Amino acid sequence: MSISVVWRPIELSLTSAEEWVEFEHESGLRLRRPTFTDGGETWKVRFAAPEPGLWKWSGGEFRVEAAEDEPNPFYRHGFWRMSPGGRSLVHADGTPAILVADTAWALPWRATPDQVREYAADRQAKGFNAVLLMTVQPDMRAVGPRDRTQDEGFDVAFEDLADGHLRELNVEYFQYLDELLAILVEHGLVPVLQPVFQGFGWKGLDVAGTVVPPAEYAAYCRYLVARYGAQPAIYLVGGDGTGLEPQVAAGGAEVHAVDCYGQPTGIHYRPHIHAQAHQDADWLDFQWCQTGHSGEHVPERVADMWRNSPVKAIANGEPTYENTGRTGVGAGWWQGHEAWSNLCAGGTMGVVYGAGSLWQWRLHPDEPGHSDYFLAPGAGWREAVGFEGSTYVGLLGKILAGLPTTDMRPDWTRVISGRALTGADGLLIIYREHGGVVPIFDDTVPLNYTIIDPRDGSVVAAGERDSPSAVIPDPGGAPRVYLCLPDL
């Protein structure tokens, strides 16, 4: 009898091509996982047990132990799911979570394991916990050597994608992707899996995501859940489109039907769209806008989406990429201000960062063949990883770690401040671009306060106000985050 650990994936081989495998815990809990082909007549199933104890399946039984001294939050607290109010993320055990995502769209077909280790170590250290990924190179007219180390090279997931189909799956591609995603997860980075892009794609050369038959798109979504759904994941079934493409609804419904862990599923839109497609769909958990790539702060986009009904979680899923097109666009503290502004405007699922040359995984600063509009001048992916703005976005997650952020909501009534959030236990989070004294107009605001510089995470002041009507003192002149929480 084999032994596993809670939330750690195990892989089991099957003796025949079964569609499902059911796992039963000694308590009676049953979970069903889809199977996947791994080449020829080889069929497998992957499973992560959410509870310790004895588990049985058609091929036998295995014992699962509790995690001890587990540093990875997704094995310590479980995978992400939506909060009770649908506004934010929580782990399976209820621990609050805020998405802090980077954008490395082209990593799956361009990066090597050594490169991903280097990248993941940087992002983990800065505070990121997720990465947006196109799972396949989506441009039907893209050409280049099938070599990740050569200029304009890329690996191929489906041999017939160039013809607008997803029928000729390249198993070796996904076996390689297994290793890349495992590296991300071990660094605490959740893969945000986009099946086939509907927007610009890699080089803007006719994406397949709008032309593949919806049934093939749904089948591929099922394959992603089967192959990668027994580890932390988010499913981005719509990417850079209107959300109304028939592939999106087909893929979302399929993910919802086959994912037994309830990991988040949603849509990421192009800028010039009303971001509310399928708002009432059971399979939809979140809606992500983007605000274009011209260096403008547009927090009213997420504020508008916050008001849509039924409730779905919101984030600005694609701000301006840092240094995209020309050096200085969306650069430095611009990224920190963008993150805090959108969070407080209603994007309480979390924040997202991106950098020119990184999202394309440009191999080196002189690699040809990419759109100049989206490249960071003089930068390959390694140089882009070091752009200043990524530090400020990562710090947001570190500053809010451990706070009761579940189902926070924008609040303009407890303080005179344009950007504030109210959470559980009286939590109040205030962001002010230039700092300054904060008048309080609500007796429920805790007297304790901590003032943080969001540019480096340092505590610049802490104390307790004398009375509920007393102000939070601050001389101003620099960005500030104010935290008010009992016993903080």
Side-chain angles (χ1 to χ4, degrees):
M1 181 173 63
S2 61
I3 296 177
S4 183
V5 180
V6 290
W7 295 112
R8 289 272 183 180
I10 60 171
E11 181 178 279
L12 303 167
S13 297
L14 307 176
T15 57
S16 61
E18 303 173 45
E19 185 177 5
W20 299 93
V21 171
E22 186 171 89
F23 296 87
E24 183 175 0
H25 187 248
E26 58 187 302
S27 67
L29 172 66
R30 295 183 179 182
L31 297 175
R32 190 173 67 160
R33 288 282 297 142
T35 65
F36 64 94
T37 179
D38 204 34
E41 300 299 318
T42 303
W43 286 81
K44 295 180 178 180
V45 64
R46 291 173 177 170
F47 177 70
E51 301 287 345
L54 185 66
W55 288 84
K56 296 181 179 180
W57 68 296
S58 58
E61 61 185 33
F62 53 92
R63 183 163 293 280
V64 175
E65 298 179 346
E68 295 183 4
D69 301 322
E70 175 56 66
N72 190 309
F74 299 99
Y75 300 142
R76 185 168 70 252
H77 299 297
F79 301 161
W80 278 340
R81 59 184 60 173
M82 300 313 300
S83 60
R87 293 292 193 184
S88 62
L89 297 171
V90 294
H91 289 271
D93 66 358
T95 300
I98 289 182
L99 175 91
V100 184
D102 191 23
T103 305
W105 288 126
L107 179 154
W109 68 85
R110 300 220 81 196
T112 65
D114 286 345
Q115 292 172 350
V116 174
R117 289 187 188 93
E118 179 181 344
Y119 165 80
D122 178 274
R123 277 0 195 188
Q124 181 184 40
K126 287 178 176 173
F128 288 88
N129 56 23
V131 186
L132 276 60
L133 305 169
M134 300 182 199
T135 58
V136 302
Q137 193 291 109
D139 290 356
M140 292 185 288
R141 292 192 293 113
V143 295
R146 195 174 295 197
D147 186 337
R148 295 166 182 262
T149 66
Q150 291 190 37
D151 284 3
E152 300 192 65
F154 60 94
D155 206 350
V156 175
F158 290 89
E159 301 295 341
D160 56 351
L161 184 141
D163 300 320
H165 285 284
L166 303 173
R167 296 176 299 203
E168 299 177 20
L169 182 144
N170 181 351
V171 170
E172 289 77 17
Y173 175 92
F174 290 97
Q175 291 170 341
Y176 198 97
L177 186 57
D178 287 349
E179 183 176 1
L180 303 186
L181 298 192
I183 294 168
L184 295 176
V185 171
E186 288 305 315
H187 285 81
L189 300 170
V190 176
V192 181
L193 302 173
Q194 207 294 314
V196 190
F197 223 50
Q198 283 89 30
F200 180 82
W202 184 31
K203 298 183 178 182
L205 300 173
D206 295 338
V207 288
T210 59
V211 300
V212 297
E216 293 181 19
Y217 193 89
Y220 179 46
C221 288
R222 181 190 180 95
Y223 186 82
L224 290 174
V225 175
R227 187 153 200 137
Y228 302 114
Q231 63 187 39
I234 288 178
Y235 302 103
L236 200 62
V237 293
D240 200 37
T242 67
L244 297 175
E245 297 84 1
Q247 295 84 0
V248 173
E254 187 68 19
V255 170
H256 185 73
V258 300
D259 173 28
C260 66
Y261 300 111
Q263 300 202 75
T265 304
I267 302 174
H268 165 65
Y269 294 88
R270 63 174 63 125
H272 46 289
I273 285 297
H274 291 292
Q276 58 186 75
H278 310 293
Q279 189 78 23
D280 60 351
D282 289 341
W283 57 263
L284 185 72
D285 296 315
F286 64 84
Q287 302 272 37
W288 287 0
C289 74
Q290 65 166 302
T291 48
H293 296 283
S294 57
E296 296 176 297
H297 299 294
V298 196
E300 54 265 34
R301 290 293 299 270
V302 294
D304 182 60
M305 293 168 66
W306 170 273
R307 303 181 186 99
N308 291 338
S309 180
V311 166
K312 305 295 178 181
I314 306 299
N316 180 356
E318 193 174 6
T320 297
Y321 294 135
E322 187 165 13
N323 293 318
T324 189
R326 61 179 175 83
T327 301
V329 173
W333 175 245
W334 187 100
Q335 295 288 339
H337 177 68
E338 173 79 351
W340 284 101
S341 297
N342 282 284
L343 183 80
C344 292
T348 51
M349 184 175 181
V351 297
V352 179
Y353 168 82
S357 294
L358 173 60
W359 74 263
Q360 304 99 324
W361 210 264
R362 192 186 193 191
L363 298 187
H364 57 84
D366 298 315
E367 185 191 14
H370 298 278
S371 168
D372 289 340
Y373 180 81
F374 285 117
L375 285 177
W381 74 267
R382 279 190 174 90
E383 290 78 14
V385 164
F387 288 166
E388 178 186 355
S390 62
T391 299
Y392 305 130
V393 179
L395 273 171
L396 182 147
K398 292 184 177 183
I399 290 169
L400 299 182
L403 298 181
T405 55
T406 301
D407 289 323
M408 294 187 300
R409 64 185 186 276
D411 192 333
W412 298 274
T413 63
R414 303 170 80 194
V415 297
I416 295 182
S417 175
R419 299 182 175 97
L421 292 164
T422 286
D425 301 326
L427 171 68
L428 182 65
I429 300 170
I430 305 161
Y431 167 66
R432 305 191 81 171
E433 183 178 6
H434 304 293
V437 171
V438 179
I440 303 293
F441 292 94
D442 191 303
D443 291 349
T444 66
V445 175
L447 298 178
N448 291 332
Y449 65 84
T450 300
I451 305 175
I452 296 173
D453 186 335
R455 298 169 299 178
D456 59 15
S458 63
V459 175
V460 297
E464 182 174 326
R465 294 179 296 125
D466 295 334
S467 68
S469 61
V471 302
I472 300 175
D474 181 63
R480 291 290 182 260
V481 171
Y482 310 82
L483 303 177
C484 299
L485 183 72
D487 302 321
L488 186 66

